[in-house]
Amino acid sequence: FDNTVRIHGLKSGRTLKEFRGHTSYANQAIYSNDFAQVISCSSDGTVRVWDAKTTECLKVFRPEKETSVLKVRRVPKNVERVMVVTRSPTLRTMATTGALAAQYDSKSDLVDIAYSPRYKFIYALGDDQVLYCFNAQDGSIEDVMRLHAKEVLGVVHHPHKNILASFSTDRTMKIWRSSAKTKKVGPKMVQDKVKKSVKKK
C-alpha cells in the first residue's frame, strides 16, 4: 500500500516497471486497448494516464471532487475512452484527456461495472446489491435487479456469451443468464447457478 502501480514479469515475478504519482491507494490499473498506455485510478480521487514504456505520467484528471475512484475499464474498440467508477451513483465514460463523454445515473453508489460483448449494455453494480443495466447508446436504464442479500463485491461478464457472474460477502458466486422469456438479448437476466464457498475448519 505505497500508492505505486507496478508491472511484474509473470514467470520471474520481478518488478519490471513502477509508476509513481498517486497520493493514496491505487485501486486498479489497466492497459489501454493499444497497450501503449497504462491507466490507473486511486483513492486520491484521480485517474492517471501513463506511458507504458517510459512510465511518464501523461495526464491526470479528477472525475469528481473529493471522491475515491474505485474502477476504470476500457471502452471496447476505442483507445481514447475509459469508463470510470467513483464512490457515487454516477458512472462516467471519459476521454483519456479528462473530458466527459457520457454519464449514466443510478440510485446508489457504484462499486463495479461490466459490459456486454458488443457493448450494447453496461451493467453497473450498486452498494445496495442492485444491478443497473444501462443502454450504452442513450444511457437509459433497461433493467434493475437485486443480486445478493449481502454486500456485493463485483460483477463480470462472459467475453462471448450473454452470461454474468456476481460475487458477494455472503460467500456465494451467482451465474446469471439471459431470460428465455424475453426476446431482448442483454438486459433481462435470470439466476442460473449458485456456487458457495466452504469455510476451512
Side-chain angles (χ1 to χ4, degrees), residues 129-140:
Q129 295 80 55
V130 169
L131 185 73
Y132 299 88
C133 175
F134 293 99
N135 183 305
Q137 300 303 314
D138 61 20
S140 61

Side-chain angles (χ1 to χ4, degrees), residues 102-147:
Q103 73 176 46
Y104 310 86
D105 296 311
S106 69
K107 295 181 180 180
S108 63
D109 289 350
L110 300 176
V111 297
D112 201 3
I113 54 170
Y115 50 79
S116 61
R118 295 183 180 180
Y119 198 59
K120 289 185 177 181
F121 303 104
I122 299 172
Y123 299 93
L125 183 62
D127 64 2
D128 56 356
Q129 295 80 55
V130 169
L131 185 73
Y132 299 88
C133 175
F134 293 99
N135 183 305
Q137 300 303 314
D138 61 20
S140 61
I141 295 179
E142 297 274 350
D143 194 24
V144 176
M145 64 179 185
R146 185 171 297 277
L147 300 185

